[in-house]
Amino acid sequence: MSEITRGATATGRMLGPAIARCGWSVWEWLARPLHYRAVHHLHVAAETHDRDRLRTFVAPTVSVVVDSGHGGPSGIRVVQGFEDASIVLEHGFTRTADVLVDERSVNNQAGLIITRAGAPIASVAVDFTGRFITMIWIRLEPAGLRHWNSV
């Protein structure tokens, strides 16, 4: 085998992961509007308690992780399955006079910020597998959000 052949193979092995990362970044960029739209539908369906609509874009095995923000494993609760998750979401997004659910980026992806009287009380990050929402992360604790950028 010549040096040129070995060099091309080594270069190909080094470029493979870089091309895969680039491809994944391009896919995330292309899918971004779809994810923001899905988070909007999640917000509206949970707020209106429309489980049939919620079922169309939330995976049956969805997990909702609620972190109280107090540290330690005792402050984290995990709910799995559509039925239990929909109850948590409907309760959390129920409209009241002083609570506002705002669709914004959370950790540079589609998400929600819940505020009470203008102060953030929770952030909601949403993970996708394909077109389905498979994981919802809810972080409570205003102290953890005190450095939130207002846009």
Side-chain angles (χ1 to χ4, degrees):
M1 182 183 267
S2 71
E3 286 295 320
I4 295 172
T5 308
R6 278 197 304 246
T9 305
T11 304
R13 280 188 296 224
M14 291 187 323
L15 286 178
I19 291 171
R21 281 192 306 273
C22 181
W24 183 250
S25 296
V26 168
W27 167 248
E28 286 181 339
W29 181 78
L30 289 172
R32 188 176 187 128
L34 300 174
H35 291 175
Y36 277 88
R37 196 169 321 141
V39 169
H40 171 74
H41 292 311
L42 170 75
H43 168 212
V44 171
E47 187 175 77
T48 60
H49 300 262
D50 187 353
R51 287 198 185 172
D52 293 331
R53 185 173 180 193
L54 201 60
R55 198 177 301 275
T56 62
F57 49 85
V58 174
T61 58
V62 65
S63 296
V64 177
V65 179
V66 181
D67 181 359
S68 69
H70 296 296
S74 64
I76 297 174
R77 300 286 184 253
V78 179
V79 176
Q80 294 181 320
F82 177 79
E83 293 301 322
D84 293 336
S86 62
I87 292 169
V88 170
L89 294 172
E90 289 169 1
H91 174 72
F93 294 156
T94 298
R95 185 180 290 244
T96 61
D98 61 343
V99 174
L100 176 68
V101 180
D102 190 22
E103 297 166 14
R104 299 206 4 215
S105 291
V106 175
N107 297 334
N108 202 27
Q109 61 186 6
L112 302 164
I113 299 296
I114 302 173
T115 58
R116 178 179 289 131
I121 58 173
S123 65
V124 181
V126 180
D127 290 339
F128 293 85
T129 300
R131 69 179 189 92
F132 287 107
I133 296 173
T134 53
M135 180 80 72
I136 301 170
W137 301 84
I138 302 172
R139 168 90 162 129
L140 305 175
E141 185 62 40
L145 302 172
R146 69 177 172 261
H147 299 294
W148 190 260
N149 295 329
S150 56
V151 177

